[in-house]
Amino acid sequence: MDTRKRIIKVAKSLFHNRSYADVGIKEICDKADIQKGSFYHFFSAKRDLVLAVIEEFAEDWAHGFVHEAFDPDLPPMERIDYLIDAAYFWQKAAKNLEGHMPGCLFGNLALEISTQDDVLRAKLSAVFHMARERFKSTLDEAVASKIIAPLDTQRTAEAMLAYLEGMILIAKASNDPETIYRLGSALKSIRIEINA
Amino acid sequence: MDTRKRIIKVAKSLFHNRSYADVGIKEICDKADIQKGSFYHFFSAKRDLVLAVIEEFAEDWAHGFVHEAFDPDLPPMERIDYLIDAAYFWQKAAKNLEGHMPGCLFGNLALEISTQDDVLRAKLSAVFHMARERFKSTLDEAVASKIIAPLDTQRTAEAMLAYLEGMILIAKASNDPETIYRLGSALKSIRIEINA
DNA sequence: ATTATAGTTGACCGACCGGTCAAGTCAAGA
DNA sequence: TCTTGACTTGACCGGTCGGTCAACTATAAT
């Protein structure tokens, strides 16, 4: 009954902390305390599993700390600060637990499999699209409230997401969560003008 | 005599277009027209190979288009435009050849293996450090020439590199080089103030 | 009580993985 | 001419990979 969820949970953790290709189905089954045959009752292939992992974690993410960060009760631009803080503490906590910064599951998977599976690539792209929309509506609100000067909110939102992912990438490469703290303040300074 | 170089060249291309874990030594040997035994004459392990690949491509990169982009004869901030252009055209050309945007070799490897091999992680971090120094000296020059207002050049350089990698990540996830073109203009708007 | 169905087990498959090795080729130095 | 050592060959290793399957159990509807 909860077997499927347990598989996804274990896989999510392993994929996030290592990589898709490096984690075998055997290991997932062992850690989830099930047999291989049981695994293939729920998933037709490893590819199916990672798809489910992406979908479920995207959901978790959207309703978890992203939802908290983009809290409508917060002033728009403070939500972005909150997001940086959340990312920083999350990565720091993960490093303390595992010894390594895992980075962003979606970013990791995107770079690993985008060239190899177009469906998975599109799924990941959709997750980024969703995140971008959060930034965009926040920016729209900030512009409408005259908190910031008008700008191309669509593109700026995309740029902010890119910067967030890039920060996490660099931080992971140096295995230093402080990188996020150090670079986070520049996120709000990113602007793409309307006519550009 | 050129066997070693041929191995590295083939491996570089395969790692870049797929991933480290997904490419086997057999395939590398086949594409390089050698036997496995020959491979292990030059490299003691697969890990050794990827280390050599990182080192050599970092060299290529530094003396290749990065060197061109950070041309001392260009006005400082134009070098950054040039870099974006170069990244855009390179990724676009690669996509036309292979059907997929390969992204940045270093970024790809960093996210794939940073949690699994600390030596490789440090090597990749060093490559990013080198790139960051390019940005920093460009910014220092721009500040000295009063082209831009004083800022924390160290951190801003790091932030610019992060943004560059993030743009490429998002572009790869959507398999659309135009993303780089669309977001590139924001690179120069990134600022981290001195006191922050 | 019977049947259908969901879930589970554990042995099994061929292919491929990274890596080894003994045997040989070949060019340069003595 | 003989020896050395870099280089190459191709068969081979144990282990693991993703995936299959027939048999079994448990549950629930008929």
Side-chain angles (χ1 to χ4, degrees):
Chain A
M1 47 191 77
D2 59 345
T3 304
R4 196 188 129 98
K5 296 231 167 195
R6 211 163 62 246
I7 295 171
I8 290 179
K9 194 177 155 195
V10 167
K12 183 164 71 185
S13 162
L14 290 172
F15 289 157
H16 196 172
N17 284 293
R18 307 235 292 283
S19 76
Y20 174 64
D22 192 61
V23 175
I25 287 166
K26 176 81 186 327
E27 185 180 1
I28 293 169
C29 291
D30 288 350
K31 291 230 162 81
D33 264 312
I34 54 155
Q35 301 295 328
K36 247 196 199 177
S38 222
F39 173 90
Y40 280 97
H41 176 73
F42 293 102
F43 302 98
S44 67
K46 189 185 182 188
R47 202 199 94 126
D48 252 46
L49 168 65
V50 73
L51 218 142
V53 165
I54 292 167
E55 272 169 10
E56 198 179 289
F57 195 55
E59 203 75 8
D60 275 21
W61 207 46
H63 296 86
F65 89 70
V66 168
H67 188 260
E68 274 180 45
F70 288 101
D71 179 354
D73 291 337
L74 253 48
M77 298 312 276
E78 280 184 30
R79 297 174 206 169
I80 291 172
D81 290 327
Y82 193 105
L83 185 76
I84 294 284
D85 277 1
Y88 168 65
F89 284 110
W90 200 93
Q91 294 290 330
K92 198 174 173 180
K95 182 183 169 181
N96 285 342
L97 271 181
E98 308 267 355
H100 295 284
M101 258 196 62
C104 168
L105 173 68
F106 306 114
N108 296 351
L109 289 175
L111 292 196
E112 184 180 0
I113 54 189
S114 280
T115 59
Q116 298 181 59
D117 189 310
D118 223 55
V119 174
L120 291 177
R121 204 217 77 240
K123 261 278 187 270
L124 290 162
S125 189
V127 173
F128 289 136
H129 183 89
M130 181 204 75
R132 189 218 302 166
E133 287 304 302
R134 298 283 192 147
F135 277 107
K136 181 174 181 299
S137 58
T138 301
L139 289 171
D140 282 335
E141 201 177 317
V143 168
S145 315
K146 298 189 193 285
I147 294 170
I148 57 171
L151 44 68
D152 188 329
T153 56
Q154 172 84 19
R155 291 191 187 184
T156 303
E158 199 176 3
M160 285 180 166
L161 175 62
Y163 182 62
L164 179 63
E165 287 292 330
M167 266 195 316
I168 293 172
L169 185 153
I170 297 294
K172 180 172 177 175
S174 47
N175 195 27
D176 178 21
E178 302 302 319
T179 304
I180 298 173
Y181 182 75
R182 196 165 57 241
L183 302 183
S185 66
L187 182 56
K188 285 194 296 186
S189 78
I190 290 175
R191 285 186 62 89
I192 298 184
E193 305 302 331
I194 287 170
N195 59 337
Chain B
M1 48 190 80
D2 60 343
T3 303
R4 195 189 131 97
K5 296 230 168 196
R6 212 163 63 245
I7 294 171
I8 290 180
K9 194 177 156 194
V10 167
K12 182 165 71 187
S13 162
L14 290 173
F15 289 157
H16 196 172
N17 284 294
R18 307 235 292 281
S19 76
Y20 174 63
D22 192 60
V23 175
I25 287 166
K26 176 80 187 326
E27 184 180 0
I28 293 169
C29 291
D30 288 350
K31 290 231 162 80
D33 265 313
I34 54 155
Q35 301 296 329
K36 245 196 198 178
S38 222
F39 173 90
Y40 280 97
H41 176 74
F42 293 102
F43 302 97
S44 66
K46 190 186 181 187
R47 203 198 94 125
D48 252 46
L49 169 65
V50 73
L51 218 142
V53 165
I54 292 167
E55 273 168 8
E56 199 181 287
F57 195 55
E59 202 76 10
D60 275 21
W61 206 46
H63 295 86
F65 90 69
V66 169
H67 188 261
E68 275 180 44
F70 288 101
D71 180 353
D73 292 338
L74 251 48
M77 298 310 276
E78 281 185 28
R79 296 173 208 169
I80 291 172
D81 290 328
Y82 193 104
L83 184 76
I84 294 283
D85 278 2
Y88 169 64
F89 284 111
W90 200 93
Q91 294 289 332
K92 198 173 173 178
K95 182 185 169 181
N96 285 341
L97 272 180
E98 308 267 356
H100 295 284
M101 258 195 62
C104 169
L105 173 67
F106 306 114
N108 296 352
L109 289 175
L111 291 196
E112 184 180 0
I113 55 189
S114 280
T115 58
Q116 300 183 56
D117 189 311
D118 222 55
V119 174
L120 291 177
R121 204 218 76 239
K123 262 276 189 273
L124 290 162
S125 188
V127 173
F128 289 136
H129 183 90
M130 181 203 76
R132 188 218 302 166
E133 286 304 302
R134 298 285 192 144
F135 276 106
K136 181 174 183 296
S137 59
T138 300
L139 288 170
D140 283 335
E141 202 178 316
V143 169
S145 315
K146 297 185 193 289
I147 293 170
I148 57 171
L151 43 69
D152 187 330
T153 56
Q154 172 84 17
R155 291 190 186 185
T156 303
E158 200 177 3
M160 285 180 167
L161 175 62
Y163 182 62
L164 179 63
E165 287 292 330
M167 267 195 316
I168 293 172
L169 185 152
I170 297 294
K172 180 171 177 174
S174 47
N175 196 27
D176 178 20
E178 301 302 319
T179 304
I180 298 173
Y181 182 76
R182 195 166 57 241
L183 302 183
S185 65
L187 182 56
K188 285 194 297 186
S189 78
I190 290 175
R191 286 184 61 89
I192 298 184
E193 306 303 330
I194 287 170
N195 59 337

